[in-house]
Amino acid sequence: AGVALLGTPARAQRRLAVSFSPGIAFPAGPARFTEAYRWALGGGLGLAIPLSPRFSIHAQADYNRFMLDRLGYLGEAGQVLRDLFLSGFLGVEGGEANMLTLLAGGRGYAPLFGGAVSPYGTAALGGFLLWTNAVTLTVRSDPPQPTRREGGSELSLGAALGVGVEIAQGQRTAWFVEGRWVLGFAELTPGTRTSYFPVRVGFALR
């Protein structure tokens, strides 16, 4: 009897849903991004308006902070700097890549088990803000010799495609797991587009 009260009826009543979804993200492209950066910690805040048990419209703000892979970052600088870093004579600090998206789109559901479990697909468009922090290279001599490479920022169009599964918990709450491919037209390196894969585990309150 409890299953009949789960996911689908709550969406059918068109309640505004608020969600929070922490998770991780992985660089996808270009090659310089995947070489110089590791996975990121991030999270998202979302709003959804159900239009039917099978479709809703969504808006979500999502932030990810990618940490610099120092050895990968030095890859284009040549073997001399890599050897200095590996031997402890060169320090590398900073250089984080930050990505903030504000996207809106739709989500289509395929309810199962009376709406208790709902696989879904999603697509969205919006804004993509990319900014990188300055990198400081320090040769460990006496005195130390630091060199600073400034970061930058760019605002561009962004898009996302994703799939997930929502698991209802009563009429007012649900858990979900979602993976996305996010593309930003901001250029982390000249002539390329920036993309990554965020994976989220979230909680929605209707």
Side-chain angles (χ1 to χ4, degrees):
V3 171
L5 297 176
L6 297 178
T8 299
R11 282 199 296 273
Q13 294 172 21
R14 301 193 180 184
R15 291 194 183 105
L16 178 68
V18 180
S19 64
F20 172 65
S21 52
I24 59 176
F26 303 93
R32 182 61 182 149
F33 184 27
T34 62
E35 292 168 359
Y37 289 90
R38 297 177 288 181
W39 54 271
L41 291 176
L45 290 172
L47 295 174
I49 302 175
L51 301 182
S52 76
R54 293 183 175 272
F55 187 79
S56 63
I57 56 175
H58 284 252
Q60 180 165 319
D62 197 79
Y63 171 73
N64 292 278
R65 181 180 177 90
F66 290 88
M67 305 304 294
L68 192 70
D69 183 327
R70 292 174 293 177
L71 191 59
Y73 174 79
L74 293 172
E76 68 174 10
Q79 191 61 43
V80 173
L81 287 183
R82 289 169 60 91
D83 289 344
L84 284 172
F85 174 75
L86 291 172
S87 62
F89 288 101
L90 179 67
V92 182
E93 302 295 336
E96 298 85 2
N98 306 272
M99 298 179 195
L100 176 66
T101 59
L102 181 59
L103 305 176
R107 181 181 289 181
Y109 299 88
L112 303 174
F113 311 112
V117 178
S118 296
Y120 64 83
T122 183
L125 288 171
F128 183 101
L129 177 61
L130 162 67
W131 72 97
T132 55
N133 298 344
V135 181
T136 301
L137 306 178
T138 303
V139 177
R140 294 185 172 125
S141 57
D142 189 15
Q145 302 176 31
T147 299
R148 182 179 173 91
R149 298 181 180 180
E150 295 298 331
S153 63
E154 184 175 354
L155 178 64
S156 72
L157 179 68
L161 295 172
V163 294
V165 177
E166 181 181 281
I167 302 173
Q169 187 176 19
Q171 288 189 309
R172 301 299 301 273
T173 59
W175 293 92
F176 62 91
V177 178
E178 181 180 296
R180 285 188 172 195
W181 174 68
V182 178
L183 172 66
F185 289 85
E187 298 181 353
L188 190 63
T189 55
T192 62
R193 308 304 183 197
T194 304
S195 61
Y196 59 95
F197 292 106
V199 179
R200 299 286 186 255
V201 177
F203 179 79
L205 176 65
R206 304 182 178 98

